[in-house]
Amino acid sequence: MSNVKFYKEEQIPLEMHKVRVVQKLILLPVEERLKKIQEAGNNTFLLQNRDVYMDMLTDSGVNAMSDNQVASMGMADDSYAGSETFNRVKSAIFEVFGTEHVLPAHQGRAAENILAEAYVKPGMVAIMNFHFTTTKAHITRLGGEVIEVLGKKGLVPVSDDPFKGDLDLDELRRTIEKYGPEKVAFVRVEAGTNLIGGQPVSLENMLAVADVCHEYGVKSILDASLLQDNVYFMKTREAQCKFMTTKQIYHLLADKMDIIYFSGRKLGFARGGIITSHNKKYINDMMEFIPLYEGFLTYGGMEVRSMEAMAVGLLESLDMEYINQGPEFIGYLVNELDKYGVPVVKPAGGLGAHLNCSEFVPHIPHDQYPAAAVATALYIASGVRGMERGSLSEQREPDGTERYAELELMRLAMPRRVFTLSQVKYCADRIKWLYDNRELIGGLQWVEEPKVLRFFFGRLKEIGYWQEDLAKKFREDFGESL
């Protein structure tokens, strides 16, 4: 988004694109919203899209593609082997990252599975700034353990620190020495860091992590799914990056990291997943698992039209006018909520705005899932679908005890180039109303709890009848308005 000053208006983000295709939305009455969330087992994943006004569940696979991406899909080569489509993807990867060797997968978590199968053995550890749900599940499934070395600043909800996703380098060294390099499957840097509010990692820290890994002979891996947001923050918050091009940053990271993988549902605004490296040995380590789990080496489970859109989207990820819309809309929403006193994670990160539910509803204990409760309450109040990123998103310990999250967050993802500013303002308005009526929000308890990744398809119920009271208060305050 361009830095344009308004003569008479508040300072607001200015879109550098125009909308040419639209999709109709429906905003149900509050009584219907109450019914729908209860039918969905108080799990926003189980809501039907037709019942959602603003879908802020995720930015994965729901970003708006550009006209050039849509046009590219018509030239797809669906050959099983030797596809020109895959050659165009490889060419785009080489342009963006400078890496020669590429393995395709059907999405990011499939790439995680390949990495885990190749490198994680029972008793080994994977070190990272912070875990992601599916990453951890793949590692623990194979008998490995996840060790987090996020700096202490990362778990402080509100601060002025621009890079709260940085790894603690001293703790990284201590952890490698404690377990021994031979027991470390790899060190994974997630940029930005999803479960702590999409917080970015500095270029300085990432390069230092790679140096430590090379010193100890440990593999360094970059999860680049949210890298375009992270590069935006590097360019705007990190002095050494101010005069670097986006391409220079991408290439420098790829030169230092042993392996890069990403979800094309995020990076590139398309579908699919990629693993890439300068080192052919690493690609050979993983190659045999692609036909076993994904597909042939030139499509890896991806549909070829999506691959064409990915190739164009990757090239567009070098353009600041494309990659800045998400972070700046997120920053606008965070600032609006902060001015009102709503507890949010600051500074604004990538991916979405994150409500700090431990402060939003301090009367709800961990074991009643405050972030999930706020997510259901917001849907009732607005038709906006967010995602719980707190204790519900964790998994129980082997002995069955609950593992409580360090941060109880409710995420409002900002799909790129999808919402208008008036919709973002509507979201902020309804959150403000909900915060003023937060004493009405109560807890949730399990009805059906899956053993793995329970937040995707588990079902809960309200404790008491607080949702009915919330809907009644909404109707009293807003009358006939939706």
Side-chain angles (χ1 to χ4, degrees), residues 288-359:
E288 65 186 79
F289 297 107
I290 300 295
L292 183 62
Y293 290 110
E294 297 298 305
F296 192 62
L297 295 173
T298 54
Y299 72 95
M302 282 190 277
E303 194 271 329
V304 287
R305 292 179 301 171
S306 296
M307 294 174 70
E308 293 285 359
M310 175 198 282
V312 174
L314 286 170
L315 296 175
E316 291 177 350
S317 74
L318 297 175
D319 185 345
M320 279 289 283
E321 297 293 3
Y322 271 93
I323 69 177
N324 61 10
Q325 192 263 348
E328 294 200 4
F329 261 41
I330 293 164
Y332 179 85
L333 178 56
V334 166
N335 289 337
E336 284 292 292
L337 296 174
D338 184 53
K339 285 189 294 186
Y340 194 76
V342 176
V344 287
V345 173
K346 292 173 54 186
L351 178 57
H354 293 73
L355 304 184
N356 180 6
C357 296
S358 294
E359 294 185 16

Side-chain angles (χ1 to χ4, degrees), residues 41-311:
N42 288 291
N43 184 342
T44 55
F45 273 97
L46 301 183
L47 287 167
Q48 299 300 304
N49 187 56
R50 62 177 175 266
D51 301 325
V52 173
Y53 174 60
M54 288 179 69
D55 193 355
M56 304 181 81
L57 185 78
T58 183
D59 68 335
S60 180
V62 293
N63 299 291
M65 289 196 291
S66 70
D67 51 354
N68 288 327
Q69 284 183 285
V70 174
S72 72
M73 297 169 77
M75 60 187 292
D77 175 5
D78 60 359
S79 301
Y80 188 90
S83 166
E84 281 303 305
T85 289
F86 184 60
N87 288 337
R88 284 188 279 272
V89 170
K90 287 181 67 177
S91 178
I93 294 289
F94 184 75
E95 176 70 14
V96 174
F97 291 104
T99 47
E100 306 89 348
H101 309 295
V102 179
L103 292 176
H106 77 269
Q107 65 182 79
R109 70 188 50 155
E112 292 173 341
N113 176 55
I114 299 300
L115 286 160
E117 288 285 348
Y119 297 121
V120 177
K121 303 293 185 291
M124 298 185 78
V125 298
I127 306 172
M128 54 193 71
N129 45 353
F130 209 73
H131 75 280
F132 184 61
T133 51
T134 54
T135 321
K136 183 175 181 177
H138 283 304
I139 291 166
T140 56
R141 175 180 62 84
L142 294 170
E145 181 183 359
V146 170
I147 306 294
E148 296 169 351
V149 294
L150 180 72
K152 292 181 180 179
K153 63 186 182 179
L155 298 177
V156 178
V158 176
S159 76
D160 295 325
D161 195 293
F163 294 105
K164 296 200 293 188
D166 283 357
L167 287 78
D168 182 327
L169 298 175
D170 291 335
E171 186 62 25
L172 173 60
R173 287 179 177 277
R174 283 193 292 268
T175 303
I176 294 174
E177 291 174 358
K178 174 183 176 181
Y179 289 94
E182 70 282 356
K183 287 287 188 179
V184 178
F186 48 75
V187 174
R188 168 184 171 271
V189 178
E190 184 182 23
T193 317
N194 193 313
L195 294 184
I196 64 167
Q199 294 297 309
V201 184
S202 67
L203 178 63
E204 179 182 13
N205 187 254
M206 279 197 260
L207 298 181
V209 168
D211 287 340
V212 171
C213 289
H214 295 157
E215 177 185 339
Y216 286 95
V218 172
K219 286 180 287 296
S220 59
I221 296 179
L222 172 63
D223 179 349
S225 301
L226 294 171
L227 186 59
Q228 58 196 9
D229 287 356
N230 206 106
V231 167
Y232 168 84
F233 291 121
M234 288 172 171
K235 289 277 293 171
T236 56
R237 297 179 182 177
E238 194 168 2
Q240 67 172 312
C241 298
K242 183 177 181 180
F243 298 107
M244 295 176 69
T245 66
T246 54
K247 183 176 177 179
Q248 287 173 328
I249 296 173
Y250 279 104
H251 277 235
L252 181 55
L253 288 171
D255 289 345
K256 296 287 283 188
M257 291 285 173
D258 292 319
I259 299 169
I260 291 176
Y261 78 95
F262 62 85
S263 167
R265 298 174 69 89
K266 295 178 181 288
L267 183 66
F269 298 170
R271 298 288 192 278
I274 292 290
I275 305 171
T276 186
S277 177
H278 282 299
N279 192 326
K280 196 170 191 306
K281 176 189 179 303
Y282 295 132
I283 296 301
N284 289 341
D285 289 344
M286 294 178 277
M287 187 180 295
E288 65 186 79
F289 297 107
I290 300 295
L292 183 62
Y293 290 110
E294 297 298 305
F296 192 62
L297 295 173
T298 54
Y299 72 95
M302 282 190 277
E303 194 271 329
V304 287
R305 292 179 301 171
S306 296
M307 294 174 70
E308 293 285 359
M310 175 198 282

Side-chain angles (χ1 to χ4, degrees), residues 27-31 33 377-383 426 429-431 433-434 437 440 467-482:
L27 181 55
L28 298 175
V30 64
E31 292 81 9
R33 300 196 294 262
L378 181 60
Y379 175 75
I380 294 169
S382 64
Y426 167 82
D429 180 81
R430 290 302 188 258
I431 294 172
W433 177 86
L434 187 63
N437 292 276
L440 294 176
Q467 293 178 330
E468 288 79 2
D469 293 338
L470 186 70
K472 181 180 178 182
K473 184 64 164 61
F474 179 93
R475 183 57 71 199
E476 290 173 357
D477 286 357
F478 287 96
E480 293 303 310
S481 169
L482 296 175

